[in-house]
Amino acid sequence: MQAQLNSKAENPKKKPIIFSGIQPSGMLQLGNYIGALRNFKLLQDDYDCLYCIVDLHAITVRQEPAKLRKLCYELVALYLAVGLDPERSLIYCQSHVSGHTELAWILGCYTYMGELQRMTQFKDKTAKHAENINAGLLTYPVLMAADILLFKSNLVPIGADQKQHLELTRDIAIRFNNIYGNVLTVPEPFIPKVGARIMSLLEPTRKMSKSDPEDTYISMLDSPDAVRRKLKRAVTDSEASIRFDAESKPGVSNLMSIYCSLTGSTLRQIEDDFAGKGYGHLKSAVAEAVIETLAPIQSEYARFMSDKGALDQIINNGAARARSLADRTMATVRKKVGLAPM
Ligand code: AQP
């Protein structure tokens, strides 16, 4: 991997670089899995991948310190459980690589207040956390831009909710390059066609989120009983017809999207297969598909969590390798901006 991430001049067969991060703001939910995590595994064959646990992003919302520390471990174990290979993919914690925050400060000086205030996630999060509208919530997209640009990433696998942030990342990189030359790589989004936006089970016009109340999302560690119970309670509508219409039937459409993403069925097939059946049938079928998907991941997860020493080693190795890559970008950026040489 280290060799694979060398510069193109050193290695003409260099693969495109992928960066993606997930916040340890709770155990991951089904939307994180469908929208992001499961694609991570598919991508590691064809790309040089960096998969980060973005703990600095998570503290834009108050976290319980002991729980946050534990979640970083748990997410690394979950990354491994879905099949990420630390030999091929670089897995590490964001706060272990200081280049993220250094670059974020510099890029913040090339980002306009208006751009940040326009971000949908900023508006959503300030509404949700009215008691703690901190500067980090506003500057979150600058740190995300730094995460991506620090490693000259070409592609960023994201759910549809992060598209706006990625567009801002591109704007910041282009603005920086217009001043200093071709320093930063302008990344492209990689958005899955199905399942890019899985919605809350109880409020299907809002996206599913791991920091929302427990019954609104399916955790990747939920037991089969919990999955069945939550899906049984999922909000639908009174029409009693299984057809996809995200506008007027958001609950049923969300269940159909989950089923499609996990089974490979098309929306048309589901409409045919469930014609004349009640919502109870659809909910049970979705529950069984979820349980079948999660079972092997959960048993792998338990295996990785039982060896803390091995997890520590993976996290430390990942950080050391990420630091050495980040240092190269930071050396160029510092020089271009005119900071005093060290
Ligand atoms: N509901 C979703 N459907 C599809 N993709 C989703 N993602 C998140 N929710 C959905 C994708 O998961 C990746 C990691 O997300 P994150 O944890 O870094 O941040 P987030 O988007 O804010 O996720 P949550 O679960 O909603 O976290 P909280 O509750 O802490 O805000 C991203 O690629 C995201 O698109």
Side-chain angles (χ1 to χ4, degrees):
M1 175 78 174
Q2 186 68 63
Q4 284 168 0
L5 284 168
N6 279 346
S7 75
K8 202 156 199 160
E10 293 160 45
N11 179 3
K13 286 209 184 113
K14 186 170 129 16
K15 295 177 187 171
I17 297 170
I18 284 207
F19 176 92
S20 195
I22 297 190
Q23 296 183 74
S25 43
M27 179 37 70
L28 300 196
Q29 40 88 6
L30 192 64
N32 298 133
Y33 175 69
I34 294 174
L37 199 53
R38 71 173 180 173
N39 297 313
F40 290 4
K41 177 173 184 267
L42 301 175
L43 294 167
Q44 68 182 353
D45 292 333
D46 297 323
Y47 300 91
D48 281 340
C49 301
L50 294 110
Y51 294 128
C52 184
I53 311 291
V54 290
D55 49 355
L56 294 169
H57 282 283
I59 61 168
T60 51
V61 169
R62 291 282 174 266
Q63 304 290 341
E64 213 247 285
K67 195 170 161 214
L68 177 61
R69 235 180 327 264
K70 190 162 162 272
L71 267 165
C72 287
Y73 262 91
E74 291 172 345
L75 294 206
V76 171
L78 201 60
Y79 276 17
L80 300 171
V82 298
L84 298 189
D85 172 2
E87 291 301 316
R88 284 188 291 160
S89 297
L90 213 159
I91 298 171
Y92 72 103
C93 295
Q94 184 187 32
S95 64
H96 294 179
V97 180
S98 57
H100 286 270
T101 41
E102 280 181 54
L103 186 58
W105 173 260
I106 294 173
L107 296 180
C109 302
Y110 299 82
T111 309
Y112 299 114
M113 288 293 290
E115 290 177 310
L116 297 175
Q117 283 162 335
R118 268 200 300 279
M119 293 291 115
T120 310
Q121 184 176 298
F122 173 66
K123 291 182 196 159
D124 288 351
K125 291 229 163 160
T126 49
K128 215 159 133 184
H129 303 279
E131 75 301 340
N132 178 23
I133 304 178
N134 60 69
L137 275 184
L138 181 70
T139 56
Y140 182 111
V142 183
L143 181 57
M144 178 167 160
D147 298 339
I148 295 165
L149 300 174
L150 190 57
F151 299 102
K152 304 188 187 311
S153 315
N154 304 100
L155 274 180
V156 186
I158 46 168
D161 60 314
Q162 293 293 333
K163 203 164 163 252
Q164 200 185 26
H165 287 170
L166 195 77
E167 274 158 14
L168 180 61
T169 299
R170 288 171 53 85
D171 290 344
I172 297 171
I174 292 168
R175 189 172 301 147
F176 192 92
N177 286 350
N178 282 342
I179 304 172
Y180 299 108
N182 205 11
V183 179
L184 302 171
T185 302
V186 181
E188 299 288 337
F190 181 92
I191 299 179
K193 286 195 179 64
V194 185
R197 195 168 163 84
I198 301 298
M199 310 307 278
S200 157
L201 297 178
L202 297 185
E203 239 182 295
T205 49
R206 290 177 45 158
K207 90 173 178 101
M208 185 178 280
S209 273
K210 59 178 126 57
S211 53
D212 278 348
E214 245 227 89
D215 276 1
T216 65
Y217 68 88
I218 292 169
S219 157
M220 289 190 67
L221 298 186
D222 270 347
S223 67
D225 280 352
V227 171
R228 289 191 190 102
R229 179 176 44 79
K230 287 180 183 179
L231 280 162
K232 213 177 245 175
R233 297 190 51 212
V235 165
T236 47
D237 53 63
S238 54
E239 195 198 61
S241 112
I242 296 175
R243 62 182 178 84
F244 191 89
D245 180 344
E247 281 285 301
S248 58
K249 293 168 72 65
V252 171
S253 303
N254 188 37
L255 295 176
M256 292 173 76
S257 294
I258 295 174
Y259 190 76
C260 275
S261 337
L262 299 181
T263 62
S265 291
T266 61
L267 292 170
R268 186 60 203 271
Q269 268 167 340
I270 304 181
E271 287 177 352
D272 290 348
D273 293 350
F274 288 88
K277 292 186 179 153
Y279 290 157
H281 273 94
L282 177 64
K283 289 178 172 183
S284 306
V286 175
E288 294 320 306
V290 171
I291 292 164
E292 201 176 305
T293 303
L294 296 184
I297 298 174
Q298 291 177 353
S299 75
E300 278 297 275
Y301 171 80
R303 191 168 70 78
F304 285 113
M305 280 300 283
S306 68
D307 189 348
K308 291 272 164 48
L311 277 182
D312 267 330
Q313 208 172 343
I314 288 167
I315 292 171
N316 290 337
N317 282 344
R321 287 155 62 198
R323 256 182 244 125
S324 103
L325 295 168
D327 285 350
R328 293 190 210 173
T329 307
M330 287 314 299
T332 315
V333 168
R334 278 196 205 103
K335 193 169 167 201
K336 291 284 180 184
V337 171
L339 300 182
M342 293 200 278

